[in-house]
Amino acid sequence: AAKNDGRNCKRYFTLAMQDKIQKRLSLSHELRSAIENNEFWIAYQPIIDLNSGLIQKAESLLRWEHPELGNVPPMEFIPIAEESGLISNIGDWAFEQVTLQTQLWLQTFPQDFQISINMSPAQFRGERTTHKHWLKHLKKLNLNSKNVAIEITEGLLMDMSNQVMAQLDSFDTAGIEISLDDFGTGYSSLSYLKKFHIDYLKIDLSFVKNLEADSDNMALCEAIIVLAHKLGLKVIAEGIETTKQRDLLIAVGCDYGQGYLFSKPLSAVDFEALVRENLNEP
Ligand code: C2E
Ligand code: MG
Ligand code: MG
Ligand code: MG
């Protein structure tokens, strides 16, 4: 009987795997038409200056509203977009949307403002040169490049190819700020912080989680902030969910905070309303 169970189990596992592969295949097929079918939209999550309490930045986050499945999380569709090579087109679409929106907001918000956009390593590779396209687009909009930041991950910095270096350099030369996202979760060596011009370290939310009770996480956050400041970088803490976490991070000199405590990622309309509220009562 045990043997039979084992066999059934194995068969079930294979079916589950087949199911998963099938799902990926159909998602990758549907991703192809998602732009033209208007299924993507951009969510904006505020980034708060912890000294003033003001919303000074926002991270743009891609959302896919699938006609049957509803909201498909980026963790599911971004890897598929990367593997299928669709990420370049999707990323360009997102960049155009985000920069247009930023330009509108700069005309209506009284304070200076910066929006960041996530970039996958795949957007730095291949025939296409994303940076040329993006810089040309900024010029066309007449948008100041300091109002835009890109978020990259440590994985990209392990790829020391000339192609990657040249693109990062040209973003930097153009005045676009660079954030190192999910800091502390990758395998990169700290020497990359010297080699590349990075402006912000984003402390990964896994270090912020449980900060109240976990003294190791507290030590890590404090050490990252001290290191960043010595190197002339600013720090953004991700995933702040409680006032206690916020206060502990302020106490160790963290510059900016992002997380559900302040707001979840919002539609452009809701984000704009939140900024107006924030300005009236800082
Ligand atoms: P990320 O860049 O590290 O984005 C932060 C993620 O943390 C977002 O998940 C955000 O919704 C979530 N988050 C923010 N505050 C909190 C909090 O207080 N608690 C918790 N538990 N989570 C919080 P999201 O939107 O699901 O995005 C996941 C990842 O997908 C992003 O991680 C990024 O790597 C990727 N991604 C999203 N949009 C884009 C895009 O336009 N282009 C590319 N290439 N990647 C993107
Ligand atoms: Mg990010
Ligand atoms: Mg710079
Ligand atoms: Mg992150």
Side-chain angles (χ1 to χ4, degrees):
K3 251 186 188 163
N4 268 336
D5 279 357
R7 218 177 294 145
N8 283 338
C9 205
K10 195 169 160 195
R11 197 156 136 207
Y12 172 77
F13 182 62
T14 312
L15 282 175
M17 267 170 47
Q18 236 169 39
D19 223 46
K20 217 169 163 179
I21 291 166
Q22 207 61 49
K23 196 179 170 201
R24 277 179 84 93
L25 271 175
S26 79
L27 280 184
S28 92
H29 181 73
E30 286 147 3
L31 260 183
R32 254 165 236 289
S33 48
I35 293 182
E36 44 193 285
N37 293 345
N38 278 318
E39 289 164 12
F40 288 122
W41 59 281
I42 309 282
Y44 297 89
Q45 188 178 31
I47 298 174
I48 277 79
D49 177 343
L50 291 175
N51 288 310
S52 67
L54 289 175
I55 299 173
Q56 288 207 331
K57 304 174 187 293
E59 176 172 12
S60 66
L61 294 157
L62 195 58
R63 295 288 177 262
W64 182 20
E65 191 67 29
H66 186 283
E68 282 118 42
L69 300 172
N71 178 57
V72 182
M75 290 304 202
E76 268 183 49
F77 74 82
I78 296 278
I80 300 175
E82 288 170 347
E83 278 162 33
S84 60
L86 290 167
I87 190 69
S88 289
N89 283 335
I90 296 172
D92 289 353
W93 178 88
F95 186 75
E96 284 164 26
Q97 295 293 309
V98 165
T99 48
L100 273 170
Q101 184 62 72
T102 306
Q103 199 186 33
L104 286 177
W105 279 337
L106 282 170
Q107 285 158 15
T108 59
F109 295 167
Q111 87 273 38
D112 204 19
F113 191 70
Q114 186 185 61
I115 306 253
S116 63
I117 182 157
N118 292 285
M119 278 186 91
S120 313
Q123 288 169 272
F124 286 85
R125 298 196 192 105
E127 300 280 294
R128 286 183 75 281
T129 42
T130 300
H131 70 293
K132 281 198 184 137
H133 181 78
W134 286 20
L135 295 177
K136 214 167 92 190
H137 177 75
L138 282 184
K139 218 172 212 157
K140 202 174 84 197
L141 283 185
N142 205 14
L143 182 63
N144 197 327
S145 48
K146 75 175 186 347
N147 295 113
V148 179
I150 58 168
E151 299 196 6
I152 58 168
T153 50
E154 291 169 277
L156 180 73
L157 300 185
M158 286 167 66
D159 176 355
M160 298 290 280
S161 74
N162 291 333
Q163 203 183 5
V164 170
M165 300 253 271
Q167 293 198 57
L168 281 177
D169 270 351
S170 59
F171 279 128
D172 180 43
T173 308
I176 293 180
E177 292 198 309
I178 301 172
S179 289
L180 193 50
D181 205 353
D182 308 334
F183 184 73
T185 60
Y187 297 95
S188 74
S189 120
L190 290 173
S191 69
Y192 291 115
L193 294 178
K194 260 184 9 187
K195 199 149 210 143
F196 294 95
H197 186 127
I198 310 270
D199 298 285
Y200 302 93
L201 290 188
K202 293 192 80 168
I203 301 181
D204 189 66
L205 43 81
S206 59
F207 298 115
V208 174
K209 203 175 159 180
N210 217 8
L211 205 56
E212 301 94 329
D214 189 329
S215 59
D216 289 344
N217 271 358
M218 191 63 225
L220 284 167
C221 284
E222 188 170 2
I224 291 171
I225 292 163
V226 169
L227 170 79
H229 286 169
K230 292 226 182 216
L231 293 171
L233 317 183
K234 300 254 191 240
V235 179
I236 303 170
E238 295 190 279
I240 301 179
E241 295 187 355
T242 67
T243 51
K244 186 83 199 200
Q245 289 165 357
R246 179 199 61 194
D247 294 343
L248 287 168
L249 286 160
I250 290 175
V252 289
C254 189
D255 305 284
Y256 297 94
Q258 178 182 355
Y260 297 164
L261 171 69
F262 308 108
S263 167
K264 293 205 167 184
L266 300 170
S267 70
V269 171
D270 290 344
F271 179 79
E272 190 172 323
L274 184 75
V275 170
R276 292 188 193 287
E277 213 177 284
N278 177 251
L279 285 175
N280 289 334
E281 36 185 315

